[in-house]
Amino acid sequence: MRAGPGVRVFACLVALVFVAPTLIVAATAVTSGSMVAFPPNGFSLRWFEEVLTDPEWLTALGNSVQVGLLAAVLAMVAGTSLAFAAARGRFLPPSLVTGLAVLPMTVPLVVAGIGFYLVYIRVGLSGSVLSLGLAHAVLGLPFVFVNVLAALTGVDRRVEEAARVSGATETVTLLRITLPLVAPAALVGGVLAFVSSWDEVVVALFLNTPQFRTLPVVMWSQVRSGVEPSISAVATLITLVSLVMAALVLLGPALLKRIRRRT
Amino acid sequence: MSALSQIPARGLERDPVTGPGGRAGDGGGTPAPARRRFPRPDYWSGVGLPGLLFVIAAFAVPMVVVVVKSLTDPSPENYAAIFSSAVYQRSVWDTLRMALVVTGLCLLIGYPYAYAMARSGRAMRTFLTVALMLAFWTSLLVRTYAWQIILNDTGIVNTVLREWLGLVSEPVRLIRTPFAVYIGMVHVLMPYAVLALFAQLRSIDPDVERAARGMGARPWRVFARVTLPLSLPGAVAGGVLVFVLALGFYITPQLLGGARQIYVGQAIMQQIEQFLKPGVGAAMAVLLFAAVLAVLAVAARFVGLGRILGVGMGRRR
């Protein structure tokens, strides 16, 4: 049954509330004034310029990108590996492997943060791209795992058997046939892992040091003392990157299919 | 552990030619029964070994360390300290109440939204989907910051009330109240509820509703007796997800809430950052994680874990 007019009007109002905060932050970032005001007084990109020339923000930006990339790559490798064990391995029950792989999705970030903090403090790794990258890789791993697992069930085993019959070893078949077939799914998972690392605050707070802080951590420390146009500018940049990545993941596969069909 | 480390070696040693050859020799695809009955290290388990080791080292070990810390720093008394502390008990009840209210609001507001998304023309559906996704993929911290801008004493709401409408002379206290926390939490978590409800509503066969209509049921009755019951699994999946996510929230209550109301996520941080009692913090964390897993385990019996965790795949708080 079609939704009635009342339901639709209500949904549209809720939709406006959904988007309003994001748009308001963007509006307060392009103000020419030195205060967060709405409606903004005058348009200028001066706060973006200020942020992108400030060494503190730039260092944090660099850290965030490095952590995100490391987390994405590690999550892709580990998640794909686990997906193979869950789909095809006979040594461990698939439910056990799946449980282990999706468990990081269920853990509250505060809990995960304490665990990482205690371990990395002990091994002297706290406050580095490596430690936060490892932690975020764990949190991003389920996204890769679930995507690759779904792709693996769709792989036609006869293609692999053809390679085997033609004399390829199991490993060559894996590298040349199976992995390329599931690579798009792994990549989608990797992008999701990057985004989840990119705007993650709680675990990053546990592992930050004055010398090593990511973009959301610096934003957090400034937000607590009040709202500023420069924070709005950073918030807008963070959002833009997340949205571009999300669009890639949500629209990318369909777009790719359309391009392929055309050629 | 020693058995596990054997996996790659055995798998890789297998002669590439005997693999398929042996399979053919079995008589056209009849698998050797012995292989099925005794699971032993095989090639694909070997491929899974790096991932397995990674999850164990980078996730299972830290979780075990939290449990150990909660029992040994200084002693299991940590748990007794939690249960006897009135402050902590209050924060548990406050957290439960907050999570329940937020879940209820997310489902109440999210249901019509998901319904409009599932049962409207193309333009309407696109608009609602884009709005939902824009909010969903805007960082939690950014959205919380946005509510700070809106609800501040000098924020948008107060500016409108005071300068434009002249309704109040003093700024209305909106931020640092439970009210602000609820608004922020509902805004952050509602997309999960909407996505779960939408997926469920889309899966209902339109013919079932048409049949009810054809047999003379009025629209509201079709909804109450057919659509609503059929959409319940989606409501449970979305509701459970929102509830467990809300239990451990830290960022939003910390920025929008007052100092008098401390939720569990904040209490854990406080133990570690301010009181320097990581043992007590770890014990609280263990209890929180146990509660989350218990809720998920119970809910999984009704709607399946895949449906709960599959909601909004790729986004976590």
Side-chain angles (χ1 to χ4, degrees):
Chain A
M1 273 186 320
R2 282 177 71 83
V7 172
R8 279 193 268 173
V9 168
F10 177 79
C12 283
L13 290 176
V14 175
L16 292 181
V17 178
F18 264 147
V19 297
T22 310
L23 298 182
I24 286 172
V25 169
T28 57
V30 294
T31 180
S32 56
S34 53
M35 299 246 292
V36 164
F38 197 88
N41 25 2
F43 175 88
S44 105
L45 293 175
R46 61 182 270 216
W47 294 107
F48 286 91
E49 196 188 322
E50 176 157 323
V51 162
L52 290 174
T53 50
D54 179 338
E56 192 188 12
W57 286 115
L58 278 182
T59 315
L61 175 70
N63 287 337
S64 278
V65 171
Q66 287 178 52
V67 167
L69 288 178
L70 178 65
V73 170
L74 284 175
M76 277 168 74
V77 173
T80 307
S81 158
L82 277 169
F84 275 105
R88 300 177 171 183
R90 273 166 288 147
F91 184 66
L92 292 173
S95 53
L96 180 69
V97 180
T98 306
L100 263 176
V102 300
L103 203 59
M105 269 187 89
T106 64
V107 60
L109 289 172
V110 182
V111 179
I114 295 182
F116 296 137
Y117 170 76
L118 292 174
V119 167
Y120 291 131
I121 279 283
R122 195 161 300 176
V123 297
L125 255 180
S126 199
S128 64
V129 171
L130 182 62
S131 61
L132 191 54
L134 277 167
H136 280 173
V138 171
L139 301 178
L141 182 150
F143 310 144
V144 181
F145 173 82
V146 171
N147 275 298
V148 175
L149 191 62
L152 263 181
T153 54
V155 167
D156 187 348
R157 289 302 286 266
R158 286 173 301 181
V159 183
E160 290 165 90
E161 303 211 342
R164 298 279 283 127
V165 171
S166 313
T169 62
E170 276 174 314
T171 306
V172 169
T173 310
L174 172 68
L175 293 178
R176 303 281 302 268
I177 308 289
T178 324
L179 277 183
L181 282 173
V182 299
L187 202 63
V188 165
V191 174
L192 293 175
F194 179 87
V195 182
S196 77
S197 161
W198 172 252
D199 60 16
E200 199 285 322
V201 202
V202 177
V203 171
L205 276 175
F206 271 104
L207 296 181
N208 90 88
T209 58
Q211 291 78 38
F212 175 79
R213 303 200 296 172
T214 57
L215 218 44
V217 170
V218 179
M219 185 179 159
W220 170 254
S221 67
Q222 304 219 352
V223 154
R224 298 186 78 176
S225 50
V227 298
E228 296 280 340
S230 58
I231 307 177
S232 294
V234 173
T236 307
L237 289 175
I238 293 179
T239 306
L240 278 179
V241 171
S242 298
L243 288 179
V244 167
M245 294 281 173
L248 250 158
V249 168
L250 296 175
L251 308 175
L255 226 70
L256 215 71
K257 214 176 270 172
R258 195 174 292 179
I259 293 168
R260 268 196 206 142
R261 211 181 297 142
R262 215 174 278 165
T263 50
Chain B
M1 212 56 217
S2 64
L4 275 177
S5 55
Q6 297 289 319
I7 298 169
R10 281 214 209 168
L12 294 169
E13 265 167 24
R14 204 184 293 160
D15 188 355
V17 185
T18 53
R23 225 170 277 163
D26 286 343
T30 337
R35 198 187 270 178
R36 284 277 159 94
R37 227 178 294 142
F38 304 105
R40 60 188 171 85
D42 59 293
Y43 184 77
W44 296 114
S45 302
V47 172
L49 187 67
L52 201 64
L53 290 179
F54 178 76
V55 174
I56 291 171
F59 182 68
V61 168
M63 291 304 109
V64 171
V65 168
V66 175
V67 177
V68 171
K69 188 84 175 174
S70 74
L71 294 169
T72 58
D73 183 15
S75 72
E77 293 286 305
N78 287 332
Y79 290 93
I82 293 170
F83 284 114
S84 60
S85 145
V87 176
Y88 185 67
Q89 271 175 22
R90 220 197 84 187
S91 97
V92 167
W93 289 117
D94 285 348
T95 306
L96 280 177
R97 195 179 54 225
M98 179 271 288
L100 277 175
V101 171
V102 167
T103 305
L105 287 174
C106 283
L107 288 175
L108 267 180
I109 303 170
Y111 198 101
Y113 194 92
Y115 193 87
M117 248 173 96
R119 308 288 162 89
S120 293
R122 203 189 159 122
M124 183 74 173
R125 184 160 68 233
T126 309
F127 170 68
L128 294 179
T129 309
V130 168
L132 181 74
M133 285 298 139
L134 191 75
F136 195 44
W137 290 90
T138 300
S139 142
L140 154 81
L141 178 57
V142 173
R143 281 196 274 163
T144 307
Y145 170 70
W147 285 108
Q148 223 180 345
I149 294 180
I150 298 170
L151 301 173
N152 248 342
D153 287 353
T154 55
I156 295 171
V157 172
N158 271 316
T159 308
V160 169
L161 287 179
R162 204 165 43 153
E163 286 170 25
W164 296 7
L165 302 177
L167 287 177
V168 290
S169 51
E170 287 291 300
V172 182
R173 187 139 192 79
L174 298 165
I175 202 159
R176 307 208 201 298
T177 60
F179 164 77
V181 177
Y182 282 39
I183 286 195
M185 299 275 295
V186 169
H187 187 263
V188 168
L189 291 173
M190 198 160 65
Y192 292 99
V194 172
L195 286 169
L197 288 164
F198 173 72
Q200 190 68 32
L201 283 167
R202 290 289 282 180
S203 75
I204 297 174
D205 185 351
D207 279 346
V208 184
E209 290 172 355
R210 248 176 248 142
R213 284 287 279 154
M215 282 186 273
R218 286 170 183 281
W220 66 265
R221 201 172 165 80
V222 175
F223 176 77
R225 300 295 294 271
V226 178
T227 315
L228 188 62
L230 285 176
S231 64
L232 273 185
V236 173
V240 166
L241 187 65
V242 167
F243 181 75
V244 295
L245 287 173
L247 282 184
F249 249 59
Y250 170 70
I251 297 295
T252 307
Q254 187 71 18
L255 272 187
L256 300 179
R260 272 186 299 167
Q261 196 109 24
I262 299 290
Y263 298 108
V264 170
Q266 297 165 281
I268 293 174
M269 280 298 230
Q270 211 177 37
Q271 289 293 337
I272 291 165
E273 279 188 337
Q274 290 176 28
F275 305 154
L276 301 176
K277 285 186 180 165
V280 178
M284 291 177 175
V286 170
L287 294 176
L288 171 62
F289 195 18
V292 167
L293 288 179
V295 171
L296 285 176
V298 171
R301 299 186 74 97
F302 296 102
V303 290
L305 200 59
R307 178 148 32 191
I308 301 172
L309 297 182
V311 177
M313 190 62 216
R315 209 74 184 115
R316 67 158 297 142
R317 294 301 168 197

